[in-house]
Amino acid sequence: MSDIRTILLVMAMHDEAKSIIESLGLKLQKKHNSKLPTETFSGKYNDKQIWLQLNGKCPRFGVDNIGTDASVLNVYTGIENHNPDLILNAGTAGGFARANAKVGDIYLSYPYVYHHDRRINIPGFTEYGIGKYTCYPCLDIAKKLGVKAGVVSTGNSLDHTPLDLEIIEQYNGEVKEMEAAAIAWVANIFGIPFLAIKAITDIVDGSETTEDEFLKNLNYASKILGEKTIELIEVL
């Protein structure tokens, strides 16, 4: 793993990234393009150069740019500007009681990430819509860090339809979130290894509504996410 010297850490929400920025002492950098919302933080940690890029705020609605569109723009500019050896997507996500997930659990993406809401029922396009992008081998790392490893499923809605859940189960999804597969798609195009680390804020098949459980647990899960992301960087 000594060949990983530059890590591009792609994140959607500032609240998720705050503890990582503070703990690593990352500094806000000047924008490469003033029209783009992406925010870039940089610093050295041990022998690694860390570039943390946030999707930034939507100038129209004043909220974090979550979801796949902003993430594609974010990771593309990060690759062009920083030439990373590994792309790491960190964030919060939903887990499943059927997979014994609990709030605060940490997952590394393995063996792939995919889309559950790109339904294109035309031959060839069905598989394209799902995607299934392979991830950096991480089972030994997960064991060392004491975290879980599982398939991550991406969609652009916080809630879900019955068909979403059907597709997630069909592809063995254990984590539901809104960015990873889009980032992995870009990483795949450029031939750069990809890995996601996700902290569980809510239980998708639980009794609470997703939005209420997410908001209640965001700070708690983000704190654990920050701690484990730094531990992950240490062993990469």
Side-chain angles (χ1 to χ4, degrees):
M1 301 179 190
S2 59
D3 56 334
I4 296 176
R5 288 288 180 263
T6 301
I7 296 175
L8 175 61
L9 180 52
V10 181
M11 303 186 70
M13 299 181 70
H14 188 273
D15 284 347
E16 296 171 335
K18 183 179 178 182
S19 68
I20 298 174
I21 293 169
E22 292 176 351
S23 296
L24 296 183
L26 304 180
K27 303 299 182 183
L28 181 64
Q29 304 298 301
K30 183 179 178 181
K31 285 180 175 286
H32 290 278
N33 186 323
S34 61
K35 293 184 178 180
L36 297 180
T38 306
E39 296 177 81
T40 302
F41 297 80
S42 176
K44 280 275 194 178
Y45 186 67
N46 293 341
D47 62 340
K48 295 179 178 64
Q49 172 65 46
I50 309 298
W51 296 96
L52 189 156
Q53 288 204 174
L54 291 172
N55 290 355
K57 295 281 186 181
C58 173
R60 181 180 178 191
F61 297 104
V63 297
D64 292 306
N65 286 309
I66 61 176
T68 59
D69 294 345
S71 296
V72 164
L73 182 63
N74 186 354
V75 70
Y76 174 74
T77 58
I79 291 170
E80 288 286 279
N81 292 323
H82 310 307
N83 191 30
D85 300 310
L86 176 76
I87 295 168
L88 178 61
N89 169 225
T92 57
F96 292 86
R98 61 167 170 76
N100 298 314
K102 298 178 180 61
V103 171
D105 280 353
I106 298 291
Y107 281 82
L108 299 184
S109 59
Y110 185 83
Y112 56 84
V113 297
Y114 70 99
H115 296 275
H116 61 256
D117 66 346
R118 299 204 311 179
R119 296 180 284 274
I120 313 170
N121 295 320
I122 301 172
F125 286 91
T126 300
E127 294 78 10
Y128 163 80
I130 294 295
K132 285 188 71 174
Y133 307 106
T134 57
C135 298
Y136 187 83
C138 63
L139 290 182
D140 289 342
I141 295 173
K143 186 175 181 180
K144 179 180 290 188
L145 298 182
V147 302
K148 298 181 177 181
V151 175
V152 174
S153 183
T154 298
N156 269 307
S157 295
L158 185 65
D159 64 7
H160 56 272
T161 69
L163 186 51
D164 288 336
L165 291 184
E166 183 180 317
I167 293 172
I168 290 171
E169 287 199 48
Q170 179 183 349
Y171 288 90
N172 303 311
E174 293 187 41
V175 177
K176 175 185 175 292
E177 55 80 78
M178 299 178 66
E179 289 88 23
I183 296 168
W185 174 66
V186 182
N188 182 263
I189 289 174
F190 283 86
I192 301 171
F194 167 84
L195 181 62
I197 178 170
K198 299 291 173 174
I200 302 302
T201 53
D202 55 276
I203 304 303
V204 178
D205 52 352
S207 58
E208 293 190 56
T209 59
T210 298
E211 56 269 31
D212 290 341
E213 196 172 15
F214 170 79
L215 291 172
K216 180 174 70 176
N217 296 316
L218 176 60
N219 289 338
Y220 169 68
S222 295
K223 180 178 182 295
I224 300 172
L225 174 68
E227 293 169 354
K228 287 298 181 181
T229 299
I230 293 171
E231 289 182 30
L232 173 60
I233 291 172
E234 289 174 350
V235 302
L236 284 170

